[in-house]
Amino acid sequence: MMDCTDRHDRFFLRLMSKNVMLYSEMVATKSAIHGDRKRILSFSPEEKPLALQVGGSDKKELSEVAKIAEDMGYDEININLGCPSKKVQKNKFGACLMKEPDLVSECINEMINSCKLPVTAKTRIGYDDIEDFEYLNSFINKMKIAGCKTFILHARKAILKGLSPKQNLNIPKLNYAMVYKLKKENPDLEIIINGGISKIEEIKNHLKLCDGVMIGRSIYQNPYSLIEIEKEIFNTKKTPTREEVAEKLLEYLEKEVKLGTKVNHIMRHTVGLYHGQIGSKTWKRYLSDNMMARDSDFKKAKYIMNIVQNNEKAIQTNS
Ligand SMILES: Cc1cc2nc3c(=O)[nH]c(=O)nc-3n(C[C@H](O)[C@H](O)[C@H](O)COP(=O)(O)O)c2cc1C
């Protein structure tokens, strides 16, 4: 997720879940090839398993990025076929590529030929006036012939003109049934469902009809809900408390600050750590008052972590 799942956020999320697959923000092919690769693509080994999501429609560039991803140690390369933003459309990537199945297939084929990583696609169920199972099925099958076996389906169509990216995440209606049907008709494909999912019961129900569930906003807003996912979905017996998460993050923060990372670049992702808990407002207020400034220093981070740790102890004692 753009502006959300950068390497710091992924490190933070990994402290709570060892088992989920994590995805990068979308990176445009040109940035990956010509940009500051270390800044844009590097990650800590702790973040793995990790997929790089790429945006593009030039097959040479896409295959080059697939190779870069492999060389850098990513575990998967995923092509974005779902982003409806104007800028993305102008550059001819994202959801507008649903109009060009042949071009997409060629791109996927080139990517598959240039690396050994699994090449996966994230797409919508339709676009503009098209929300038609036959169209979606044929689009997916073209990509399958090109060699793609795993598809993440955001279960709502994209409106390419007239809606903002934010509206495009809420206004088009969710249609899970179309994703279920896709899996039913293509049992050999790995179909991962996405869109509006947050509760464990919902995840369990989707898993009866699909191979996986992708969650975006709800995890960003309430990252500690990963703990419930670990327990309920992956059967993990030992999970960290918020206090333990905070402690580990502090170690990471200390290391990163020495390397020149700004405190707020890490701490901004932790706003939801206390979501739904006593003291969550204090945590959020403290972060926004003290941690979001570019010049926030490490001492402040340590101070707030201590408050949080005491807060956690207080909650544990009271419950
Ligand atoms: C802030 C934000 C940034 C996003 N960036 C990306 C992105 O880079 N690539 C992508 O495939 N989807 C992106 N999405 C869409 C999400 O991955 C997801 O498909 C969508 O939010 C629906 O799932 P959810 O209801 O679980 O959030 C973004 C969504 C948000 C809210």
Side-chain angles (χ1 to χ4, degrees):
M1 285 163 64
M2 304 290 290
D3 285 328
C4 300
T5 58
D6 62 14
R7 66 187 180 94
H8 305 310
D9 184 48
R10 296 185 312 247
F11 186 94
F12 170 58
L13 297 176
R14 196 53 92 204
L15 294 175
M16 291 166 276
S17 171
K18 300 289 173 227
N19 287 296
V20 295
M21 184 78 195
L22 293 175
Y23 286 76
S24 73
E25 302 166 273
M26 177 177 66
V27 177
T29 48
K30 284 193 174 35
S31 315
I33 296 167
H34 307 295
D36 176 351
R37 203 168 288 171
K38 186 164 178 285
R39 188 180 60 79
I40 300 168
L41 297 181
S42 69
F43 60 87
S44 314
E46 291 90 338
E47 292 166 45
K48 283 163 76 70
L50 177 63
L52 174 66
Q53 189 187 63
V54 64
S57 58
D58 179 308
K59 52 190 180 187
K60 287 273 160 297
E61 288 177 3
L62 282 163
S63 63
E64 200 176 332
V65 177
K67 184 79 185 81
I68 293 171
E70 179 175 44
D71 292 345
M72 291 190 74
Y74 282 89
D75 300 287
E76 172 183 326
I77 177 105
N78 174 271
I79 181 167
N80 184 317
L81 306 169
C83 179
S85 91
K86 273 206 188 104
K87 193 174 157 203
V88 160
Q89 285 187 55
K90 208 173 131 226
N91 290 307
K92 205 174 168 190
F93 49 92
C96 65
L97 291 176
M98 289 193 79
K99 293 177 185 172
E100 302 197 47
D102 292 329
L103 172 64
V104 171
S105 306
E106 281 173 32
C107 290
I108 285 181
N109 193 257
E110 289 272 336
M111 291 165 80
I112 287 173
N113 288 335
S114 68
C115 72
K116 291 191 190 68
L117 295 181
V119 176
T120 67
K122 179 164 181 275
T123 187
R124 300 270 187 145
I125 54 167
Y127 65 92
D128 293 339
D129 294 333
I130 299 185
E131 187 172 330
D132 172 57
F133 180 75
E134 292 314 320
Y135 187 89
L136 177 67
N137 199 27
S138 136
F139 180 48
I140 296 288
N141 273 283
K142 282 202 166 151
M143 291 191 267
K144 171 183 158 179
I145 292 165
C148 184
K149 294 186 181 66
T150 301
F151 299 90
I152 302 162
L153 272 295
H154 182 177
R156 50 165 68 87
K157 68 179 178 178
I159 304 290
L160 298 170
K161 271 202 190 97
L163 289 189
S164 69
K166 193 164 178 207
Q167 288 172 317
N168 255 306
L169 292 173
N170 298 306
I171 292 180
K173 282 209 170 48
L174 285 163
N175 183 347
Y176 296 136
M178 201 182 293
V179 182
Y180 299 156
K181 190 167 176 201
L182 193 67
K183 174 64 195 177
K184 202 165 173 204
E185 302 237 333
N186 302 279
D188 54 329
L189 296 180
E190 187 178 29
I191 302 292
I192 296 165
I193 194 164
N194 165 247
I197 303 163
S198 60
K199 297 190 181 67
I200 288 290
E201 276 320 302
E202 293 168 349
I203 299 173
K204 286 185 176 167
N205 286 334
H206 287 303
L207 287 176
K208 289 177 193 154
L209 297 161
C210 299
D211 303 296
V213 170
M214 175 187 261
I215 305 180
R217 287 167 289 184
S218 137
I219 295 292
Y220 194 79
Q221 286 151 17
N222 182 11
Y224 198 73
S225 63
L226 278 171
I227 296 290
E228 204 186 350
I229 291 175
E230 276 292 318
K231 285 182 183 160
E232 295 285 329
I233 307 294
F234 296 106
N235 247 325
T236 305
K237 297 282 176 276
K238 194 174 168 348
T239 53
T241 60
R242 287 183 174 84
E243 179 185 9
E244 286 162 345
V245 172
E247 259 170 32
K248 286 266 185 285
L249 190 68
L250 199 56
E251 286 168 22
Y252 175 74
L253 190 69
E254 189 161 16
K255 216 171 75 196
E256 281 292 324
V257 165
K258 280 186 190 142
L259 295 171
T261 303
K262 297 264 183 279
V263 172
N264 62 317
H265 286 182
I266 296 174
M267 296 309 290
R268 70 189 188 94
H269 299 300
T270 69
V271 171
L273 182 60
Y274 280 79
H275 183 91
Q277 299 294 301
I278 308 161
S280 72
K281 276 194 189 141
T282 322
W283 171 242
K284 281 183 196 167
R285 196 176 326 116
Y286 194 90
L287 281 180
S288 68
D289 288 353
N290 299 287
M291 301 304 304
M292 300 308 174
R294 283 185 68 83
D295 60 348
S296 295
D297 67 13
F298 181 62
K299 265 192 220 136
K300 276 185 181 169
K302 215 160 189 155
Y303 174 68
I304 182 63
M305 285 299 186
N306 283 335
I307 295 185
V308 174
Q309 287 168 13
N310 291 335
N311 196 347
E312 174 90 352
K313 277 178 198 139
I315 292 165
Q316 281 166 359
T317 319
N318 291 333
S319 61

